[in-house]
Amino acid sequence: MKLRAEELGLLARGAAVLGTGGGGDPHIGKLLAERAVREHGPVEIVAVGDLPDDACVLPVAMMGAPTVMVEKLPSADQISVAVQTLAKYVGKTPTHIACIEAGGVNSTVPVIAAAQLGLPLVDGDGMGRAFPELQMVLPTLAGIEATPMSIVDEKGNRGVFDTVTNEWAERLARSATVDMGCSAIVSLYAMTGAEIRGAFVAGTLSKCVALGRAIERAQSQHSDPVAAVVDELGGRLLHVGKVVDVQRRTTTGFARGDATVDGLDASHGEVMVLRFQNEHLVAELAGTAVATTPDLIIVLDTESGEPITTEALRYGHRVSVLAAPADERWHSPAGIELVGPRYFGYDLDPIRALETV
Amino acid sequence: MKLRAEELGLLARGAAVLGTGGGGDPHIGKLLAERAVREHGPVEIVAVGDLPDDACVLPVAMMGAPTVMVEKLPSADQISVAVQTLAKYVGKTPTHIACIEAGGVNSTVPVIAAAQLGLPLVDGDGMGRAFPELQMVLPTLAGIEATPMSIVDEKGNRGVFDTVTNEWAERLARSATVDMGCSAIVSLYAMTGAEIRGAFVAGTLSKCVALGRAIERAQSQHSDPVAAVVDELGGRLLHVGKVVDVQRRTTTGFARGDATVDGLDASHGEVMVLRFQNEHLVAELAGTAVATTPDLIIVLDTESGEPITTEALRYGHRVSVLAAPADERWHSPAGIELVGPRYFGYDLDPIRALETV
């Protein structure tokens, strides 16, 4: 399977759905990847099951606040330099590139690396969604170390961290990201093919393209694109309404905030509040949580079905809020400890997307 | 020349004089170095002029707030790991260790590295004194890059930075230092022997030992140890008095503050204020600056002549404040731009130690 320029818009759009508000603007992700693929040719996609056991897979991602990423684009070679810096440090030649998370930019940044370096891209990711901190990946649950990792900015500054825990990698890399202007490119979680098979979510890129295609099909057939996404994900519709307030602040390298959505139509009279840190973490109806991390809380434009990232949310947006189940490994005790509501400061047990109907 | 355990106290004490309040507590520096030399044997000292042109010299230092360094000591192998991490990154085998600055801890940290690694130590340093930020070294004026540099903490976290300017190295390493608990060990400014000759102050370690010995001799002969330091440095006595106030805060990885010294004896009726950021930067008498960076502002215990670091200054201390000339390269326009009073936010032209008598 080859990823061609014409599929990149579908990929970025579907990834922004799974990105649950984070992972960066899909339009920017699409434009950057299209340029790379036009210049270097289509990118070969390899199924997780087809990876050689001894493959040297280097994931690559953008780290930082999506509010900044939309204004500060990576430089032409920043993405491949991040991969090359890590490869040189570990003294290995990469055979494959991978996505660490699903997200509008973070599903296409690896496409750019793969195109520029002429390497195949793994059809999978490390989360099955997006999360704000770098230790929040299934490989952490599988005991795989985030470091050595590289971090590179658009000015030419480079760093490598080699830390005692993945939380320390997050801490040091987050400070460097803030210094670098609140967004940077990182390459981390270097894995073998065998490790990828044990720790990744398989098929994420194909799923993103399918999601993007379902939205496009519903748009062209004038059917309900929100329903198409709910069908595709096995999720449920939580709320339909209009954004009436967004509180947003870019602090400690994250885009944090709350959005208030007044109910319309079936949700008339109900008010939903969304709490986010890059990604949506908690959805509350009338002050009571109805969906939480680790399950996916997704905001779509009600009319077009296009995913709306947290940094793009604005007053007046007509939106539909969905919940969908996360990869089951996130619901293990270790998974909940790593990414459950309490980690983010919400004194709540996790609420599953399909728990209360 | 060999540096033996019995000279380390002299070295640390003399370096704390040149450290102008910064560079860490000489007592701690002495204890750490004595342990290393007892365990691994005396350290060979090599004159700058005797270095082979192609020597691979790796300087090593403690970075952070001296207020923290006195409580958080480096781990047994942290110092040599910093050197080895840089050596591995640059792919070279170090032939010599060097001091980047003079200071109670920062003149003995390289002794520890040299003892542990069995390498000779260069008799020189990169400043001829101490300064608070890592780009503030004569090698920067000579166009030598601070990076690649390593940074290592006592928990086992390691990092490498490779930056576009020495100021960027300071910025990224300072944030990492703060994350690592406000003190870390760094190895940076890897240089050849030829580069060391062009960019270093020669003879610093010998000078520190001589300074330490002059203080010790005056103490044992019951002569004036402050006068002995003034003689040895070619400086002058600015003020004699009692510390009546110290404002101190540990912010952004530095120990910053002001100390007020009421005049006694010849200085009776005069009040001196010292402004510091790790090191003393400005000395004011009755609100007027009488000495500034880049020249050395040194605080000694009036009775014993022992140097007092900025983090050890306290109410009631009887102190003598001295000024002494810095290496002449610091008075070049580029030197003043890098470390003059205006860089630190004081709207003053630099005042030379021997300018106003």
Side-chain angles (χ1 to χ4, degrees), chain A residues 85 88-89 151 153 155-165 168-169 171-173 175-181, chain B residues 85 88-89 151 153 155-165 168-169 171-173 175-181:
Chain A
T85 300
K88 191 185 162 206
Y89 188 83
I151 183 162
D153 75 10
K155 294 171 278 290
N157 292 309
R158 287 177 292 156
V160 175
F161 294 115
D162 206 339
T163 62
V164 289
T165 64
W168 268 108
R171 190 163 163 182
L172 291 168
S175 293
T177 298
V178 171
D179 284 330
M180 288 172 166
Chain B
T85 300
K88 190 185 162 206
Y89 188 84
I151 183 162
D153 74 11
K155 295 170 279 288
N157 293 308
R158 287 177 292 155
V160 175
F161 294 115
D162 206 340
T163 62
V164 290
T165 64
W168 268 107
R171 191 163 163 180
L172 291 167
S175 293
T177 297
V178 171
D179 284 331
M180 287 172 167

Side-chain angles (χ1 to χ4, degrees), chain B residues 110-345:
Chain B
V111 174
I112 299 165
Q116 290 183 341
L117 298 168
L119 292 175
L121 181 62
V122 174
D123 186 6
D125 83 307
M127 307 185 202
R129 50 164 296 164
F131 276 121
E133 301 180 12
L134 76 71
Q135 77 280 11
M136 296 175 171
V137 296
L138 294 170
T140 296
L141 295 184
I144 289 165
E145 294 181 357
T147 66
M149 70 171 286
S150 64
I151 183 162
V152 169
D153 74 11
E154 75 291 351
K155 295 170 279 288
N157 293 308
R158 287 177 292 155
V160 175
F161 294 115
D162 206 340
T163 62
V164 290
T165 64
N166 293 356
E167 286 72 16
W168 268 107
E170 160 68 23
R171 191 163 163 180
L172 291 167
R174 187 68 53 181
S175 293
T177 297
V178 171
D179 284 331
M180 287 172 167
C182 256
S183 83
I185 301 288
V186 293
S187 185
L188 67 183
Y189 291 102
M191 280 181 268
T192 64
E195 285 172 330
I196 288 275
R197 259 193 293 286
F200 252 40
V201 177
T204 310
L205 299 189
S206 307
K207 186 175 178 179
C208 289
V209 172
L211 265 170
R213 195 161 275 142
I215 294 169
E216 195 184 57
R217 194 184 310 119
Q219 287 172 348
S220 66
Q221 297 175 348
H222 304 287
S223 61
D224 181 355
V226 173
V229 171
V230 170
D231 278 357
E232 191 76 32
L233 285 178
R236 71 181 177 104
L237 183 63
L238 292 178
H239 191 67
V240 179
K242 180 180 111 165
V243 177
V244 294
D245 194 21
V246 183
Q247 301 284 338
R248 187 185 285 120
R249 52 200 185 280
T250 301
T251 54
T252 65
F254 297 107
R256 298 170 192 265
D258 316 286
T260 306
V261 185
D262 268 6
L264 293 175
D265 305 331
S267 303
H268 184 75
E270 295 188 311
V271 176
M272 174 163 276
V273 176
L274 299 165
R275 316 261 180 212
F276 57 85
Q277 175 184 335
N278 291 8
E279 284 76 32
H280 294 295
L281 299 172
V282 175
E284 298 171 0
L285 264 182
T288 302
V290 294
T292 68
T293 173
D295 277 358
L296 287 69
I297 298 167
I298 296 158
V299 177
L300 303 180
D301 181 291
T302 299
E303 190 70 27
S304 68
E306 297 289 343
I308 302 174
T309 54
T310 53
E311 78 277 9
L313 273 176
R314 58 174 169 69
Y315 178 87
H317 250 137
R318 259 64 171 179
V319 299
S320 294
V321 184
L322 278 55
D327 186 280
E328 197 52 35
R329 286 168 281 184
W330 285 125
H331 284 283
S332 68
I336 294 302
E337 197 181 329
L338 198 61
V339 299
R342 288 198 169 80
Y343 178 87
F344 294 102

